[in-house]
Amino acid sequence: MRARPPEATSALSVRHLGDRIRRQRAERGLSLAALALRSGVSRSMLSAVERGAKAPTVLVLDRIATGLGTSIARLLGEERSARVVVLRRRDQDVSRDPSGWERRILSPVLKGVEFEFMRTTIPPGVDAGEFTPHTGGSREYLAMERGVLRLLLDGAPYVLRAGDSVYYAGDCVHAFANPGDAPCVYYLVMDLAGERSRSHAPAPGGLTTPATPGAAAPGGLR
């Protein structure tokens, strides 16, 4: 059975997701306490998720994936080995947060590759939250389709609009919010180079001097 999105799933598929997280943790030789330290998710929450007693939000699932040195895509999808993989829209894994934002995974899970290509939609006025740093050497690329995105990288604000794009090192705290009055849609590529072999929790990186920051959005959102 293929795992389904954690916010719109049956109890069985929540248990399936929990089993997959537990296996990934066991493969890395991590205790619940160690994963809690690496992910910033409490031991009790991790235990509940692994037992299938609680469905994680998208943000919590992302933090668990980061603590494991992998991506949400690997936790939700089956690994593929074919030279060509076609993902029909109906077969793409979609994570939906209770606040209304959606993360659609467009890339297949490949053996030995920690890479995720996603399309994210954030409704007007919604803050998608703050995501923890990945290990050093990770990279993220974002391209706007429509709307307005307020992106924070280690606290530095960037405002992006339709047609804009940005690259940033993945070892920073990154947060996403839509300060506009229309949906925000963007594509994001996440290359977690070296993640699976890491032995320590990620540390925040040094994106402290933005090259071309946008003007900060009006206060109140974030």
Side-chain angles (χ1 to χ4, degrees):
M1 177 179 174
R2 191 163 67 92
R4 298 309 304 161
E7 285 304 319
T9 183
S10 68
L12 178 63
S13 59
V14 172
R15 288 197 297 270
H16 185 91
L17 174 62
D19 287 343
R20 187 169 289 187
I21 291 171
R22 184 169 57 250
R23 288 197 302 270
Q24 292 278 337
R25 178 172 62 81
E27 286 177 6
R28 290 157 175 77
L30 295 172
S31 66
L32 278 173
L35 180 55
L37 182 64
R38 289 165 63 124
S39 66
V41 177
S42 71
R43 188 183 185 282
S44 60
M45 171 63 83
L46 289 171
S47 177
V49 169
E50 287 192 358
R51 288 184 285 106
K54 193 171 183 64
T57 63
V58 180
L59 191 60
V60 167
L61 187 61
D62 184 86
R63 289 176 178 171
I64 292 172
T66 298
L68 290 169
T70 189
S71 64
I72 286 181
R74 188 170 295 277
L75 296 182
L76 293 181
E78 299 289 348
E79 192 171 276
R80 313 291 185 98
S81 58
R83 286 173 59 86
V84 177
V85 178
V86 176
L87 292 177
R88 302 298 181 191
R89 181 178 174 84
R90 64 180 178 273
D91 297 324
Q92 295 165 358
D93 284 303
V94 181
S95 300
R96 295 182 177 90
D97 192 80
S99 64
W101 66 277
E102 174 187 287
R103 176 171 175 162
R104 176 177 293 272
I105 299 171
L106 306 177
S107 53
V109 180
L110 303 175
K111 183 177 178 60
V113 178
E114 291 298 346
F115 176 94
E116 188 172 341
F117 176 34
M118 70 193 82
R119 181 180 189 267
T120 300
T121 302
I122 306 178
V126 169
D127 188 338
E130 185 176 274
F131 292 78
T132 52
H134 304 294
T135 196
S138 298
R139 298 174 291 272
E140 297 196 12
Y141 307 81
L142 186 154
M144 290 288 295
E145 179 180 309
R146 66 176 184 267
V148 181
L149 175 69
R150 185 173 190 246
L151 172 67
L152 290 182
L153 303 177
D154 280 341
Y158 298 75
V159 174
L160 303 173
R161 295 177 173 82
D164 293 344
S165 61
V166 63
Y167 156 80
Y168 53 92
D171 59 346
C172 67
V173 177
H174 36 294
F176 307 85
N178 179 358
D181 56 6
C184 165
V185 180
Y186 61 88
Y187 292 86
L188 190 146
V189 170
M190 185 168 61
D191 180 8
L192 305 181
E195 283 279 283
R196 299 198 76 181
S197 63
R198 72 179 183 156
S199 58
H200 301 288
L207 281 181
T208 55
T209 309
T212 54
L221 185 64
R222 244 309 299 139

